[in-house]
Amino acid sequence: MTGGLSDAEQQQRRDWFRAHWQDGVPFNRHCAIRVLKWDADGAELYLPFSDMLSAHDGILHGGVVAALLDTTATGAVMAGHDFDRGSRLTTISMSVQYVSVAPGEDVRAVGRCIRRGRTVNFAEAQAFGAESGKLLATAQLAANVSGERPGAPWST
């Protein structure tokens, strides 16, 4: 597919999504998720521990860890995405494997897109205890990117 967007326009959209991931998604703001890295190689996000996000004393809720992995893996898709193929992202499926816990620790997640298709992309992410480096969970997902994202500055 020959695209009409210039390199600068592609980068503007990647930059918009990076800012949106951190500041534009209400759930991500509520969890105080920060984007540490966002480039063609993938995404890295940071989640500070909070008792409000815990399931047990000092242990993050598994759903929060899964949401961080989803957010990181889909971020990796968008960080290197060809926006001539669209900008509306939907997670199709995700598998999470919980490995360990890191009581009271913040979490760092690293994601990368492992296969890009016309509309369906495949990505993986890993979550680590930010202080210990201990592997907490992994995920693999499929995400669809097609059409234009409602609310994006280029959408009409």
Side-chain angles (χ1 to χ4, degrees):
M1 174 182 218
T2 304
L5 295 174
S6 68
D7 289 345
E9 290 168 319
Q10 292 275 353
Q11 189 59 49
Q12 286 173 336
R13 291 183 186 197
R14 287 186 194 103
D15 292 345
W16 184 88
F17 271 97
R18 178 186 178 136
H20 178 71
W21 242 239
Q22 182 170 298
D23 301 319
V25 177
F27 180 81
N28 295 354
R29 276 196 324 265
H30 174 77
C31 294
I33 293 173
R34 292 193 323 253
V35 175
L36 301 178
K37 176 187 168 207
W38 190 274
D39 60 33
D41 293 330
E44 183 175 340
L45 278 60
Y46 186 86
L47 171 70
F49 177 81
S50 167
D51 283 332
M52 295 300 292
L53 303 176
S54 66
H56 309 286
D57 255 358
I59 307 297
L60 282 173
H61 190 285
V64 172
V65 174
L68 177 65
L69 290 167
D70 180 32
T71 302
T72 304
T74 55
V77 169
M78 298 309 275
H81 182 63
D82 175 0
F83 286 96
D84 285 319
R85 295 186 181 274
S87 64
R88 184 179 193 145
L89 172 84
T90 306
T91 299
I92 299 170
S93 68
M94 183 172 74
S95 175
V96 177
Q97 300 76 44
Y98 297 96
V99 177
S100 189
V101 295
E105 283 192 48
D106 299 346
V107 179
R108 181 180 60 86
V110 178
R112 68 184 184 101
C113 186
I114 56 175
R115 183 166 180 237
R116 295 184 185 279
R118 183 179 307 255
T119 59
V120 178
N121 300 269
F122 299 89
E124 61 187 13
Q126 298 177 309
F128 301 91
E131 291 80 32
S132 66
K134 184 190 296 186
L135 178 64
L136 306 179
T138 64
Q140 304 77 40
L141 68 75
N144 180 68
V145 186
S146 61
E148 292 301 332
R149 186 193 184 289
W154 56 87
S155 296
T156 55

